[in-house]
Amino acid sequence: MRSGILCSGNWVVDLIKIIDRWPQEGMLANILSETMNGGGGPHNVLVNLAKMDPDLPLFASGLVSNDKFGKFLELELDKFGINRSYLFKTSEESTSFTDVMTNKSNGNRTFFHKRGTNALLNLEYFNEVDCNAKIFYLGYPMLLDSLDSNDSQYGTKAARLLSSMRMKGLINAVDLVSIENENYKEIIQPILRFTDYLIINEIEAEKCSGIPTRGDGKLLKQNLSKASNALLNSGVNKMVAIHAPEGGFAESIEGEKLFVNSKNILDDEIKGSVGAGDAFCAGMLYGLHQEFDLKKCLEIANTNAWFNLQNETSTGGAVSANKIFEKIK
């Protein structure tokens, strides 16, 4: 019987700087503090899951360099007992990193990203991936140049990868990234038919579906179902989950749909929002792996994101499943 979660894709070191304000171009802002932390979807999801349930089999897959950032990520995985047999190395590029500028006054963050080794992650690296995991998670298409490239049969190399993982017996989960790209929908569309669980934010849902999810700064809750339904019709096999600051929404292929409000949090309790979406995703994946009902999955996801917001790093706020369940009560 399959058990555990295999996470691959965008491996990053986050260089997180807390600034006193976001400056106009050409002006100065003060850096109040800085920390170095593992980042990217696979890292953040895996660390959250490891803290939730140390007994859950977890596997890391991807590409880093043999530089200080690559070694830092390896040590992070070792610290949490995460299997890194499928985290490969190359000397052709440096490990990817992101300068994360977090505005202390409102918690908003802005990213300056170097793709690095993530751009070189290609299908060949996955030939050796063979484990008994139940779920394969891929994050983030749009930042994986080789996998985002064209494939004459599947549309993109990422779609071919997801097809191969499905043939190996895994359930595919995909998380996206909020990025400006005029070809966003065209790059994402081919992977949807090989995706079982699509876990994204409201901005990405709009980019994928073409259906507005915000108007005048407000979440258009009535449109979340329209967007998720469009994505299910585009091929997503089991479920679409959409998270936003206001809460989490999910719709299954059977037609079950539900919106659960976020946990209340005061502005001065928010230390940063970097990794909050990954924390939500980890919560959803944990619930789906454990085969909880849709409401419980969303409650776990929202609560895990609530804990995340109270720490400036992407995973520093992660807690055990027991603490999450206590907060849900």
Side-chain angles (χ1 to χ4, degrees):
M1 183 176 179
R2 288 187 170 273
S3 178
I5 299 176
L6 165 65
C7 293
S8 188
N10 187 261
W11 288 90
V12 182
V13 167
D14 285 335
L15 305 172
I16 302 168
K17 298 173 176 65
I18 307 299
I19 59 177
D20 60 351
R21 65 179 64 83
W22 186 256
Q24 293 182 343
E25 188 172 355
M27 302 302 288
L28 181 144
N30 293 299
I31 297 174
L32 305 178
S33 66
E34 54 184 329
T35 56
M36 184 166 75
N37 194 61
H43 168 275
N44 296 346
V45 168
L46 283 168
V47 172
N48 271 273
L49 289 168
K51 289 189 175 183
M52 274 188 222
D53 186 350
D55 295 325
L56 182 67
L58 298 172
F59 305 86
S61 172
L63 188 62
V64 298
S65 178
N66 194 29
D67 55 17
K68 65 177 183 179
F69 289 161
K71 291 176 182 176
F72 178 82
L73 290 169
E74 288 179 328
L75 289 173
E76 278 271 286
L77 294 170
D78 292 345
K79 181 170 68 175
F80 292 104
I82 297 166
N83 186 316
R84 57 179 175 88
S85 300
Y86 309 119
L87 187 67
F88 301 106
K89 292 183 182 179
T90 179
S91 58
E92 294 181 41
E93 251 290 5
S94 60
T95 301
S96 177
F97 68 88
T98 303
D99 284 323
V100 183
M101 303 298 181
T102 302
N103 187 340
K104 185 181 180 182
S105 66
N106 57 21
N108 289 339
R109 72 265 196 250
T110 304
F111 305 94
F112 298 86
H113 179 66
K114 177 177 172 56
R115 276 174 159 80
T117 49
N118 291 321
L120 306 180
L121 180 65
N122 60 46
L123 293 170
E124 293 178 4
Y125 289 104
F126 294 92
N127 292 337
E128 299 180 38
V129 176
D130 183 19
C131 65
N132 200 42
K134 181 177 181 179
I135 296 173
F136 172 69
Y137 159 95
L138 181 66
Y140 311 113
M142 302 300 301
L143 292 179
L144 302 168
D145 294 27
S146 179
L147 292 179
D148 289 335
S149 65
N150 183 67
D151 183 282
S152 59
Q153 181 178 355
Y154 288 83
T156 67
K157 297 292 196 302
R160 182 181 287 273
L161 168 62
L162 291 168
S163 174
S164 70
M165 288 299 172
R166 181 177 283 177
M167 286 190 288
K168 289 181 179 182
L170 287 93
I171 299 168
N172 290 326
V174 173
D175 190 9
L176 303 179
V177 64
S178 301
I179 186 174
E180 293 297 334
N181 187 316
E182 62 182 11
N183 299 317
Y184 196 103
K185 192 172 182 179
E186 289 71 21
I187 293 173
I188 297 304
Q189 196 69 30
I191 72 176
L192 296 181
R193 63 194 176 106
F194 302 105
T195 299
D196 297 298
Y197 303 129
L198 183 65
I199 305 171
I200 55 179
N201 68 25
E202 83 281 20
I203 298 168
E204 296 145 10
E206 180 172 328
K207 286 181 175 294
C208 290
S209 68
I211 296 170
T213 56
R214 284 198 175 275
D216 297 324
K218 295 181 179 179
L219 184 67
L220 302 175
K221 290 185 181 180
Q222 70 277 14
N223 280 7
L224 296 182
S225 181
K226 294 178 182 178
S228 65
N229 195 257
L231 294 167
L232 289 166
N233 288 335
S234 293
V236 176
N237 192 32
K238 294 181 182 293
M239 185 206 71
V240 173
I242 303 172
H243 58 87
E246 294 86 349
F249 171 84
E251 181 172 358
S252 71
I253 194 68
E254 293 82 13
E256 182 184 6
K257 59 184 74 174
L258 183 66
F259 183 90
V260 175
N261 289 321
S262 294
K263 293 285 182 185
N264 291 328
I265 187 168
L266 300 175
D267 287 344
D268 60 4
E269 292 178 313
I270 299 176
K271 300 299 187 293
S273 56
V274 61
D278 296 322
F280 179 95
C281 183
M284 285 297 298
L285 289 176
Y286 183 72
L288 292 165
H289 182 277
Q290 302 301 98
E291 300 182 4
F292 294 148
D293 61 42
L294 199 58
K295 182 180 180 183
K296 190 168 185 178
C297 288
L298 286 167
E299 288 176 335
I300 293 169
N302 278 342
T303 305
N304 199 44
W306 180 86
F307 279 110
N308 170 274
L309 292 170
Q310 297 172 68
N311 188 277
E312 65 188 37
T313 69
S314 59
T315 57
V319 297
S320 68
N322 286 338
K323 284 192 175 181
I324 293 172
F325 296 146
E326 287 172 7
K327 184 66 183 177
I328 291 172
K329 292 179 181 178

